[in-house]
Amino acid sequence: SYVLTQPPSVSVAPGQTARITCGGNNIGAKTVHWYQQKPGQAPVLVVYSDDDRPSGIPERFSGSNSGNTATLTINRVEAGDEADYSCQVWDSTSGYVFGTGTQVTVL
Amino acid sequence: QVQLQESGPGLVKPSETLSLTCSVSGGSISSYYWTWIRQPPGKGLEWIGSIYYSGRTNFNPSLKSRVTISLDTSKNQFSLTLNSLTAADTAVYYCARGRSGLGGWFDPWGQGALVTVSS
């Protein structure tokens, strides 16, 4: 089965940049989507198709994908960005696969 | 805008069958992929299965033998049935709309329904 690995946690000071990685075998050949999930709430799409943003998502959120790693970058981090972030791909054998999730803490 | 809402029992006994329904408002179910995803307490997201408006289904290989997903276009709803429940099936169950065909992203999501499997 296809596995996506994320760091359990990332800590960042307000105003700085947070980078959340999503590792998978040749993930650069797949299309990656990212979700933000705050406690007690449903996930919300923040980046789709590697690097596109849905309407209403700040430009501070961006994505990239190459080789064995996809990255979600949050510039000028704010307290309201504190949440869990999960990556997601489609694999022809496993179906839809989600990453293990990363808790972003704003110091 | 499209909104989704899950409904069903919050408590189910081991070995029994779970049935959940997702009601779609603000748009027709006669398009897109419609999907069930779950999240055990304190854990990550797990895809359960998806159904296309044509009725074609795709399931997580690890759950395929226990899962049924169906559409009711007259009610603008789709449903999940999961049988032979164990405590490991305790989770928040989300319904979501799949975008850009099979293999795309999920948006929007329902608020989620907590299902506990316990005697």
Side-chain angles (χ1 to χ4, degrees), chain B residues 1 13 16 18-19 37 40 48 76 91 94 97 111-112:
Chain B
Q1 64 186 33
K13 290 181 169 54
E16 293 191 343
L18 170 66
S19 294
I37 295 160
I48 299 171
N76 227 38
Y94 295 101
R97 183 179 66 174
Q111 66 183 27

Side-chain angles (χ1 to χ4, degrees), chain A:
Chain A
S1 62
Y2 192 78
V3 176
L4 295 174
T5 302
Q6 299 181 235
S9 62
V10 167
S11 297
V12 58
Q16 298 304 303
T17 298
R19 293 181 180 85
I20 304 154
T21 59
C22 175
N25 184 31
N26 198 25
I27 195 175
K30 300 181 181 298
T31 303
V32 181
H33 319 294
W34 291 91
Y35 303 90
Q36 176 194 70
Q37 186 177 23
K38 296 182 178 179
Q41 298 184 19
V44 172
L45 180 74
V46 292
V47 167
Y48 66 96
S49 297
D50 293 342
D51 57 4
D52 284 327
R53 274 186 320 278
S55 61
I57 300 300
E59 292 184 7
R60 301 183 296 103
F61 288 82
S62 63
S64 63
N65 183 22
S66 178
N68 292 317
T69 304
T71 303
L72 174 69
T73 300
I74 311 173
N75 292 314
R76 302 180 301 282
V77 166
E78 302 175 356
D81 298 331
E82 190 162 284
D84 285 329
Y85 292 84
S86 297
C87 54
Q88 175 243 313
V89 301
W90 166 264
D91 177 75
S92 58
T93 299
S94 303
Y96 292 102
V97 179
F98 289 94
T100 48
T102 298
Q103 169 68 50
V104 170
T105 299
V106 181
L107 301 171

Side-chain angles (χ1 to χ4, degrees), chain B residues 36-48:
Chain B
W36 289 98
I37 295 160
R38 69 181 183 179
Q39 185 172 38
K43 295 188 177 181
L45 299 162
E46 179 182 37
W47 171 63
I48 299 171

Side-chain angles (χ1 to χ4, degrees), chain B residues 1-76:
Chain B
Q1 64 186 33
V2 172
Q3 293 184 314
L4 290 77
Q5 177 69 57
E6 304 88 350
S7 59
L11 179 64
V12 189
K13 290 181 169 54
S15 80
E16 293 191 343
T17 296
L18 170 66
S19 294
L20 292 174
T21 296
C22 182
S23 299
V24 180
S25 59
S28 174
I29 202 171
S30 298
S31 186
Y32 300 110
Y33 277 89
W34 302 95
T35 296
W36 289 98
I37 295 160
R38 69 181 183 179
Q39 185 172 38
K43 295 188 177 181
L45 299 162
E46 179 182 37
W47 171 63
I48 299 171
S50 301
I51 185 166
Y52 194 46
Y53 76 94
S54 65
R56 185 176 74 186
T57 53
N58 296 84
F59 298 112
N60 185 324
S62 68
L63 298 170
K64 185 175 183 177
S65 64
R66 300 195 291 132
V67 175
T68 303
I69 297 177
S70 60
L71 275 173
D72 187 338
T73 55
S74 66
K75 295 182 179 179
N76 227 38

